[in-house]
């Protein structure tokens, strides 16, 4: 059996999606599954006996440029104001019988944000478990700019 069948996903970041000033910051960049995220997926899939456990649909952003690590449990310097606070993905799609889920949310800046460079997925509106994390090309947003974040996730 090959080891290539891992839980994995990709993130796409677009500034001002669907407008004349649309800018693709990164497209289909492979993400890092954290150790705590992997453990949580095992619990959700195999060992959790509590119904109603919340999925990893909350998206957080930061300007912290530190390299992601599988041991990360929090999004250092997570943005909590100015329209970029953690948000529940507005689009969550999975077609029965397929092996892919897409989560997407478009943030609208209500302040200037310099060097936004990292996104992560969580199972709570605050705190919670961070399951996926990735960096992207640094982007500066002015008030009313949008940032569309799309995660595509595949289970091995």
């Amino acid at each position: 059996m090959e080891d290539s069948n891992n839980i994995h996903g990709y993130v796409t970041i677009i500034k001002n999606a669907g407008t004349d000033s649309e800018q693709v910051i990164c497209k289909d960049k492979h993400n890092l599954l954290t150790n705590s995220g992997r453990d949580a997926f095992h619990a959700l899939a195999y060992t959790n006996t509590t119904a109603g456990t919340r999925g990893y649909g909350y998206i957080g952003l930061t300007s912290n440029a530190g390299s992601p690590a599988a041991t990360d449990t929090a999004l250092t310097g997570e943005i909590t104001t100015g329209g970029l606070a953690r948000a529940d993905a507005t689009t969550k799609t999975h077609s029965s019988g397929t092996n892919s889920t897409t989560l997407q949310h478009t943030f609208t800046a209500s302040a200037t944000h310099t060097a936004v460079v990292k996104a992560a997925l969580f199972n709570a509106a605050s705190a919670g478990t961070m399951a996926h994390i990735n960096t992207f090309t640094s982007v500066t947003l002015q008030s009313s700019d949008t940032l569309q974040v799309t995660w595509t996730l595949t289970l091995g």
Side-chain angles (χ1 to χ4, degrees):
M1 202 167 163
E2 292 184 30
D3 193 41
S4 62
N5 292 330
N6 298 330
I7 295 175
H8 64 277
Y10 301 89
V11 64
T12 297
I13 309 292
I14 301 173
K15 178 180 177 181
N16 297 325
T19 69
D20 290 339
S21 62
E22 178 175 298
Q23 180 183 4
V24 177
I25 306 303
C26 74
K27 176 139 179 64
D28 296 331
K29 185 176 179 190
H30 196 271
N31 74 64
L32 175 68
L33 176 65
T34 65
N35 292 343
S36 59
R38 184 193 59 221
D39 292 343
F41 287 132
H42 278 278
L44 288 169
Y46 306 113
T47 63
N48 187 357
T49 58
T50 305
T53 300
R54 178 65 167 85
Y56 294 85
Y58 286 96
I59 301 171
L61 299 168
T62 186
S63 294
N64 179 282
S67 295
T71 55
D72 288 348
T73 58
L75 186 59
T76 303
E78 184 173 355
I79 299 168
T80 60
T81 61
L84 301 189
R86 189 183 301 186
D88 198 5
T90 50
T91 300
K92 297 175 186 165
T93 58
H94 171 76
S95 297
S96 188
T98 68
N99 193 23
S100 182
T101 295
T102 301
L103 305 174
Q104 184 177 82
H105 186 75
T106 300
F107 294 86
T108 301
S110 59
T112 298
H113 295 277
T114 304
V116 179
V117 71
K118 196 182 309 176
L121 287 178
F122 295 87
N123 66 342
S126 62
T129 299
M130 183 173 67
H132 292 274
I133 187 170
N134 208 341
T135 59
F136 49 88
T137 303
S138 176
V139 60
T140 295
L141 303 170
Q142 303 300 321
S143 185
S144 80
D145 280 343
T146 63
L147 193 66
Q148 183 181 76
V149 179
T150 306
W151 290 89
T152 305
L153 306 156
T154 303
L155 297 178

